[in-house]
Amino acid sequence: MDDEPLAEWAKRRDERIGRLRAVPLVSGDGPKASRLNPDCPRAIQRWNGYTWEPHGTAASLAEAQRLLHPRDERPSAAPEPQPLRAGRGRHRKSRPRE
């Protein structure tokens, strides 16, 4: 088995610190997939490098998604038009005539 150096492993672990996840708060051994219970509350957990710790709560899957993946609130600028470059392009190649 190839062992990676401890420094590389620690670097990978530290990159994930602060990552959030949402866990459905359902009782029993029922299914815990988020798509099955979109209206049940969620516990928001944060990775501290060693374990997942409580970070907050969300009332539903939609609210949890907004917390986990916030959108950029700044309005985006209109994309610049890209003029066609000279040339025929690969999709316009003519086939050799026989």
Side-chain angles (χ1 to χ4, degrees):
M1 184 168 122
D2 293 331
D3 290 334
E4 68 179 320
L6 184 60
E8 289 179 22
W9 173 82
K11 181 181 175 187
R12 273 190 308 115
R13 186 197 67 205
D14 291 344
E15 288 173 354
R16 293 185 289 238
I17 292 176
R19 183 175 290 176
L20 299 176
R21 75 174 181 181
V23 180
L25 296 174
V26 295
S27 59
D29 294 333
K32 295 186 187 316
S34 63
R35 67 184 183 282
L36 298 178
N37 297 312
D39 296 327
C40 83
R42 305 286 197 264
I44 307 297
Q45 297 176 336
R46 182 179 174 273
W47 180 250
N48 68 5
Y50 301 99
T51 187
W52 291 99
E53 58 186 16
H55 184 70
T57 58
S60 66
L61 175 61
E63 186 179 334
Q65 291 297 326
R66 283 192 297 271
L67 290 171
L68 297 178
H69 310 288
R71 290 186 179 171
D72 189 13
E73 297 299 325
R74 294 176 285 146
S76 62
E80 291 184 26
Q82 296 182 356
L84 295 175
R85 287 188 261 168
R88 295 171 43 184
R90 204 164 62 176
H91 65 286
R92 296 182 184 176
K93 283 186 179 177
S94 61
R95 295 184 180 179
R97 296 184 183 182
E98 295 179 16

